[in-house]
Amino acid sequence: YTRHQQNPSQHRHNIPVFPYNRHTGEDLSQINQLMNRKPSSSSRSSHLTVLSWNIDCLDTDNISHRVKGLLSQFGKYSANVVLLQELVPGCLTILQNIMKDYQFLQGSEDGYFTAILLRKDRVQLLQSNIVKYPTTEMGRNLLIANVRSFFFLGHPLCIMTSHLESCKSNSQERLNQLRRVWKWIKEAPEDHTVIFGGDTNLRDWEVKKLGGLPDGISDVWEMLGEPEESKYTWDTSINDNKEIPHSIRLRFDRLFLRAAAEGAQLRPESMTLIGLEKLKCDYFISDHWGILCTCKCEVSEELRVNE
């Protein structure tokens, strides 16, 4: 397939072979050192950093350069939780070989899939689950990890990611999947703070069609005042990886938050788009920008003393 003709629905069972070779490994050696450096004292503070990114590994054009760029971004930000979409087995192997500080959970064993990466010195996995979407035609699902955080007085978190059905014509299936996501968010244990991040492929009118967000679930971008600079995560007016001849600017990638009923709380402080710089190969890392979100862990003094 060509650079500008990709459609994930067409390639579910035709995943490209990932071009990893000796030269690639040599190029990644410096990134390997960066990824495994000790976290700074600031990274051990009472903040949670979440990075969500559709990394578009279905597109193999300049993939070695793009994976190097991706790993550089991972090393730069050292996010506590990384949520990935459009990961493929070959790319997963490279990330696992280099990102030794992370525990990997994947949404599937083959094809292209989602993954949750948990930084081992910050987050402890309790259990994980994969929820199938019964009517998907693209192999999509919801990946869930229940974790305990070392910086949040051990309070439980529920981390979720998904890649909702692609293409405008699949709106009804996408909304069916979104309802299922919201259901799992709402039904998570009350003592868990729930964070969902992923490529939702949503248009704003689709959310309005469902009557807006359910009570208790918040859109993190909206919580932060709808900053224009972090709105459009799929922006063909700047990103030309797909060579689309006209400009399309959409907020496909979103973060949802549901607070725990009581106890410690997460308060979003910032959201930044990353991957905005072109690489030397004249490509961006992905056709999507990544979302880097920082949340403050707020614990009352009474709760801190009791625990």
Side-chain angles (χ1 to χ4, degrees):
Y1 52 89
T2 65
R3 180 177 177 180
H4 61 282
Q5 292 178 325
Q6 294 181 64
N7 178 344
S9 66
Q10 299 170 354
H11 302 289
R12 176 67 187 168
H13 302 293
N14 186 27
I15 303 304
V17 175
F18 199 88
Y20 179 78
N21 53 39
R22 183 180 62 83
H23 180 66
T24 307
E26 291 172 351
D27 288 345
L28 293 176
S29 60
Q30 290 183 336
I31 297 175
N32 195 359
Q33 296 174 6
L34 177 65
M35 289 301 308
N36 293 295
R37 75 188 193 280
K38 291 183 178 180
S40 64
S41 58
S42 61
S43 70
R44 297 181 180 275
S45 66
S46 58
H47 286 77
L48 173 74
T49 52
V50 178
L51 171 56
S52 181
W53 205 344
N54 180 326
I55 55 175
D56 190 24
C57 285
L58 283 171
D59 183 356
T60 58
D61 286 345
N62 287 292
I63 190 67
S64 295
H65 294 282
R66 289 168 43 224
V67 169
K68 284 160 54 185
L70 179 70
L71 285 164
S72 292
Q73 294 287 290
F74 289 159
K76 177 179 180 180
Y77 295 109
S78 297
N80 306 145
V81 174
V82 180
L83 309 173
L84 299 179
Q85 304 85 46
E86 285 195 27
L87 186 59
V88 299
C91 182
L92 173 66
T93 298
I94 292 176
L95 298 188
Q96 288 175 322
N97 286 340
I98 291 176
M99 301 174 70
K100 302 292 189 182
D101 291 337
Y102 287 84
Q103 181 173 2
F104 284 71
L105 304 172
Q106 59 195 87
S108 178
E109 296 294 329
D110 56 15
Y112 66 96
F113 44 85
T114 61
I116 296 176
L117 284 57
L118 305 172
R119 192 168 182 95
K120 295 174 184 177
D121 64 343
R122 300 281 282 167
V123 181
Q124 177 188 14
L125 176 67
L126 300 177
Q127 63 179 20
S128 62
N129 186 26
I130 297 173
V131 178
K132 295 181 178 180
Y133 298 144
T135 53
T136 179
E137 295 183 356
M138 300 183 181
R140 307 295 169 84
N141 56 31
L142 175 64
L143 180 59
I144 303 174
N146 295 89
V147 306
R148 193 173 301 280
S149 58
F150 300 127
F151 54 90
F152 205 25
L153 287 186
H155 289 277
L157 300 169
C158 183
I159 309 295
M160 302 183 180
T161 191
S162 188
H163 183 190
L164 302 188
E165 210 84 352
S166 304
C167 303
K168 189 175 182 179
S169 59
N170 291 319
S171 176
Q172 189 56 55
E173 172 60 23
R174 181 163 48 252
L175 293 184
N176 291 342
Q177 295 171 6
L178 181 61
R179 289 190 189 96
R180 194 170 293 265
V181 169
W182 284 348
K183 179 177 184 291
W184 278 86
I185 292 175
K186 289 190 293 183
E187 293 181 357
E190 288 189 356
D191 62 338
H192 283 56
T193 298
V194 183
I195 304 168
F196 169 92
D199 177 3
T200 67
N201 278 304
L202 285 170
R203 286 75 173 167
D204 288 339
W205 64 265
E206 292 176 314
V207 178
K208 292 177 182 177
K209 184 177 179 180
L210 295 185
L213 288 164
D215 290 343
I217 300 177
S218 301
D219 184 313
V220 172
W221 178 76
E222 295 175 354
M223 294 175 72
L224 290 168
E226 304 184 356
E228 186 70 17
E229 64 273 13
S230 58
K231 181 175 184 179
Y232 299 112
T233 66
W234 200 71
D235 186 353
T236 66
S237 71
I238 301 172
N239 192 315
D240 59 355
N241 276 20
K242 300 301 184 200
E243 295 183 345
I244 294 174
H246 50 280
S247 295
I248 305 173
R249 310 179 78 201
L250 292 165
R251 193 165 68 94
F252 278 162
D253 306 88
R254 305 189 181 204
L255 297 176
F256 299 138
L257 178 66
R258 193 214 70 179
E262 59 183 20
Q265 302 290 318
L266 280 181
R267 179 173 59 83
E269 287 193 337
S270 67
M271 177 182 285
T272 305
L273 299 184
I274 66 171
L276 304 178
E277 301 80 21
K278 263 197 173 181
L279 305 172
K280 291 182 180 179
C281 63
D282 200 35
Y283 268 65
F284 294 95
I285 292 171
S286 171
D287 61 325
H288 289 246
W289 308 137
I291 298 176
L292 181 70
C293 180
T294 300
C295 297
K296 174 72 173 179
C297 306
E298 296 185 337
V299 182
S300 67
E301 188 60 33
E302 178 183 1
L303 187 61
R304 193 179 299 275
V305 169
N306 290 339
E307 299 198 15

